[in-house]
Amino acid sequence: MSPRTRALAVCSALVLALLAVAAFVPLPFSIAYPGPAANVLGKHKGEPVITVHGAKARKTSGELRMTAIVATGPEASARVTDVLKGWFRRDEAVMPRDAVYPVGDSTEEVAEHNAAQMKQSQDDAVEAALRYLHRSPKDVRVDLKLADVGGPSAGLMFTLGIIDTIDGDGAGHDLTGGRSIAGTGTITADGKVGPVGGVALKTQAAHREGAKYFLVPREECSDARANLPKDMRLIPVTTLTGAVDDLKALNSGGRVPSC
């Protein structure tokens, strides 16, 4: 064996050894997947998602589906093979662990943080809906239950669900028009819709449940178009009023914006 051949063999062996080691080194990433897409107008795990006290609840048709992602836990290790596989699959996403779990290093801490965010999101959703309907929280109380889902991203869909349950489109019809409509977005008490992340996976979760329309925070339109199911339409929103107006226009055949 010539010196050059021996050198190449040694280098190749070192490279293979480094790749073998790298394959087992934990990386600071989480692998995310399409998660639940619960209908907030219906029941989840046997419990009504929306319960209204002090006002008559309408019998609704159609669906308003909140969407979420699930991800490998903060204590789980992502390997090179996991990351490479996730980059090439439509139903997986490789995300920096800090972006998925900005607070807490353990499953318990993350669960506590997500539960607190969900509670705040529900409180804001109720306030935003009652403000939109010009109802007093002294007279109308709304309970929201959605087991095993955390974080703030269901805010917009909770709010629309409350409005549809109490008032529909304001003219005696369903806000959904009987359609299956999904979406995501945070909500503030004064009705501003904010970004959430993971929207490309959330559109897949919505498609899995048969939704044809997806409400998305306007600034995340580009992300939502990635791997978008062919028969799904994206409707960009920035405010609660805008979202309600778009749904009414969809029902009446009016102009509805698209991403």
Side-chain angles (χ1 to χ4, degrees):
M1 184 181 293
S2 68
R4 185 169 182 269
T5 302
R6 281 197 300 270
L8 286 173
V10 171
C11 289
S12 297
L14 288 173
V15 169
L16 289 172
L18 288 172
L19 289 174
V21 171
F24 294 97
V25 173
L27 299 174
F29 296 104
S30 290
I31 311 300
Y33 310 87
N39 175 25
V40 301
L41 293 175
K43 293 184 178 181
H44 184 64
K45 295 191 174 180
E47 295 280 347
V49 178
I50 298 173
T51 304
V52 176
H53 307 274
K56 185 178 180 180
R58 300 176 59 254
K59 184 176 181 180
T60 60
S61 65
E63 299 173 338
L64 286 170
R65 291 190 173 274
M66 56 73 60
T67 52
I69 63 171
V70 293
T72 51
E75 298 167 337
S77 297
R79 311 290 182 179
V80 170
T81 52
D82 299 322
V83 172
L84 291 175
K85 181 168 68 75
W87 276 334
F88 290 100
R89 288 183 63 96
R90 291 170 56 91
D91 58 350
E92 295 183 14
V94 180
M95 304 174 69
R97 188 179 296 167
D98 289 346
V100 181
Y101 302 111
V103 176
D105 296 320
S106 70
T107 302
E108 291 76 16
E109 288 175 316
V110 169
E112 184 178 344
H113 174 71
N114 285 345
Q117 283 194 312
M118 172 59 91
K119 178 62 169 62
Q120 184 61 56
S121 175
Q122 292 176 337
D123 291 345
D124 289 341
V126 171
E127 185 171 352
L130 294 183
R131 282 189 185 188
Y132 179 86
L133 296 171
H134 304 293
R135 301 290 187 106
S136 170
K138 295 180 179 179
D139 301 318
V140 179
R141 181 168 61 86
V142 181
D143 294 330
L144 299 174
K145 287 186 179 181
L146 192 58
D148 303 328
V149 178
S153 66
L156 171 62
M157 302 310 288
F158 276 142
T159 309
L160 292 173
I162 296 167
I163 293 170
D164 200 21
T165 298
I166 295 176
D167 197 50
D169 66 353
H173 308 293
D174 294 318
L175 194 57
T176 63
R179 300 177 178 86
S180 179
I181 296 171
T184 191
T186 62
I187 196 76
T188 62
D190 59 354
K192 292 184 177 66
V193 177
V196 290
V199 291
L201 293 176
K202 291 177 179 180
T203 59
Q204 294 183 45
H207 183 257
R208 182 190 68 218
E209 302 299 335
K212 303 297 184 183
Y213 300 88
F214 193 92
L215 301 173
V216 61
R218 181 179 293 278
E219 60 193 274
E220 292 185 300
C221 272
S222 178
D223 292 340
R225 285 195 296 266
N227 296 325
L228 182 70
K230 291 182 180 179
D231 57 349
M232 180 171 286
R233 179 178 178 180
L234 294 174
I235 301 176
V237 295
T238 57
T239 66
L240 172 60
T241 298
V244 173
D245 288 346
D246 288 341
L247 293 181
K248 289 180 179 179
L250 190 65
N251 296 339
S252 65
R255 181 180 177 278
V256 180
S258 294
C259 282

